[in-house]
Amino acid sequence: MSRKKRRLEREAQAMAAGGVPQVTREMLLSRLAIVPTAPPATPSRSTGVTLSTIIVNYKSRAALIECIGSLEVDTGGMACETVVVDNESDRDTLAAIERGFPRVRTIANPDNVGFARAVNQGIAATSGEYVLIVNPDCFIERGSIAAMLGYLRAHPRTGVVGPRMIGRDGRLQSSARGFPDHLTFMFTRYSLLTRLFPRNHYSRRYLLSDWDHASVRPVDWLSGACLVVRRAAIDAVGPMDEAYFMFNEDVDWCRRMRAAGWDVVYIPDAVVRHDIGASRRKVPAKLIIERHRGMIHYFHKHHPSNPLVTFFTDTMIRLRAGLMLVANALRLR
């Protein structure tokens, strides 16, 4: 090393020790062609467990058993753990899990505490490097877990990955989407305007319908029906926002992940069959109310605006909720 470089290096070290502003120190280091080392990412916990799976169940015993079965087949030989968080738990469901899958742990909630809170219970009770969150109405196809974990291992700044999701009829479900704005609630997958005008700009932007969903792609957010999340990203960003009872917590979580610098990526080689069906069946009124309450919370949290826009958005969301409650009440089942 030349005499000049040794002198500059001594000055840089003296600046660091003496509390000289970082900008000045970095300018000096650049003259030495030394790049300061970035602070390390939050280390993942070394527990020997690769994958922790969390399944939030609510009165879906038959589907749950099938879901766990598909999971155990696809994770055979992997260091993993599975926790079922059973909301408004019943003995028959717990007994069925114990008989069929003795290695699966359960958390029995006497009441329905909601999806986000139940997921957070599962996160706190597990220790794997990666966390799979999957709904009980999902069936995981062979090779899907390996595809998602493989991508996460190869891309250390990816915090969340999700699979290609298909219905019972084999049709693609819109599980990868753009972030919603103040008008998105009028152009969702099942909205009347989307059904009448499927090629409108707002629906296409939100549902990413101009893309065939056949390629790996970073997206705004992925459906919480099936996600694999890096534990280090959860440690850095925090768990799900429990202000959401059910729905919209996945949008919020992915938005926070992206804001913190973690990528959210869709993996089409991973395939999950999802029996969504809720749009065709009668659902509890509480679910409709909580879904729209979550929309309002999301917009207030991420899209603060002037009072007139906020009032218009809140009013339209409440009106939509009222119409859905009426339509739901008219269903026979």
Side-chain angles (χ1 to χ4, degrees):
M1 182 184 293
S2 69
R3 185 177 302 174
K4 180 180 178 182
K5 282 195 173 184
R6 284 197 297 271
R7 177 174 58 80
L8 290 173
E9 190 173 45
R10 286 197 300 272
E11 290 177 12
Q13 293 170 350
M15 286 181 179
V20 174
Q22 182 70 12
V23 172
T24 305
R25 179 171 172 261
E26 288 183 353
M27 288 174 61
L28 183 57
L29 288 172
S30 67
R31 292 165 61 190
L32 279 162
I34 298 174
V35 179
T37 304
T42 304
S44 60
R45 306 167 191 178
S46 179
T47 61
V49 177
T50 299
L51 181 70
S52 299
T53 297
I54 300 165
I55 306 174
V56 177
N57 182 62
Y58 179 72
K59 299 182 179 180
S60 301
R61 189 191 319 157
L64 172 65
I65 297 305
E66 188 177 9
C67 175
I68 299 174
S70 71
L71 173 69
E72 294 217 338
V73 169
D74 201 35
T75 57
M78 188 181 298
C80 57
E81 60 181 347
T82 300
V83 171
V84 172
V85 185
D86 195 32
N87 276 338
E88 204 170 308
S89 185
D90 68 87
R91 294 180 180 178
D92 290 342
T93 296
L94 299 180
I97 295 171
E98 186 177 356
R99 284 195 307 270
F101 307 97
R103 292 188 303 167
V104 173
R105 290 184 287 136
T106 57
I107 297 174
N109 290 325
D111 302 309
N112 184 1
V113 301
F115 182 75
R117 184 175 170 187
V119 166
N120 291 346
Q121 287 179 295
I123 291 171
T126 56
S127 59
E129 184 179 0
Y130 305 100
V131 178
L132 167 64
I133 298 163
V134 61
N135 282 4
D137 56 0
C138 289
F139 185 93
I140 302 167
E141 299 287 356
R142 288 272 191 109
S144 296
I145 303 299
M148 291 188 283
L149 292 184
Y151 189 92
L152 284 166
R153 289 182 178 122
H155 299 84
R157 290 309 303 172
T158 296
V160 185
V161 296
R164 177 163 57 96
M165 303 191 74
I166 58 175
R168 287 182 297 177
D169 56 3
R171 296 179 62 182
L172 180 74
Q173 294 179 354
S174 300
S175 59
R177 305 181 198 176
F179 284 133
D181 58 25
H182 286 86
L183 292 175
T184 299
F185 64 90
M186 299 172 64
F187 298 95
T188 60
R189 178 168 42 184
Y190 300 117
S191 294
L192 179 62
L193 289 176
T194 299
R195 293 178 178 180
L196 293 176
F197 309 103
R199 299 300 300 166
N200 77 81
H201 166 74
Y202 298 102
S203 297
R204 296 201 328 267
R205 183 193 61 78
Y206 176 63
L207 299 173
L208 303 179
S209 53
D210 290 335
W211 164 49
D212 64 4
H213 293 70
S215 56
V216 173
R217 173 172 165 169
V219 296
D220 285 347
W221 68 280
L222 294 159
S223 168
C226 185
L227 296 173
V228 181
V229 188
R230 191 184 300 273
R231 176 80 64 170
I234 299 174
D235 291 342
V237 173
M240 287 187 169
D241 182 351
E242 295 182 10
Y244 301 99
F245 182 83
M246 186 175 181
F247 301 113
N248 301 289
E249 69 288 314
D250 43 10
V251 194
D252 175 271
W253 212 21
C254 288
R255 191 173 197 115
R256 288 159 50 207
M257 291 284 180
R258 284 175 54 95
W262 297 96
D263 292 332
V264 176
V265 180
Y266 169 84
I267 310 293
D269 288 342
V271 180
V272 169
R273 286 194 275 119
H274 183 211
D275 181 17
I276 197 164
S279 65
R280 299 182 299 274
R281 294 197 291 262
K282 192 168 185 175
V283 298
K286 177 180 173 63
L287 201 62
I288 296 173
I289 294 169
E290 290 294 344
R291 179 172 196 165
H292 290 82
R293 190 181 66 82
M295 288 182 184
I296 291 174
H297 175 60
Y298 175 86
F299 288 122
H300 286 196
K301 181 176 180 179
H302 294 291
H303 292 279
S305 186
N306 68 65
L308 286 177
V309 173
T310 299
F311 175 77
F312 171 77
T313 302
D314 291 357
T315 300
M316 294 303 294
I317 290 174
R318 291 188 177 104
L319 177 61
R320 181 181 188 270
L323 292 173
M324 290 190 68
L325 285 168
V326 171
N328 184 65
L330 293 175
R331 290 191 176 107
L332 296 178
R333 61 181 182 85

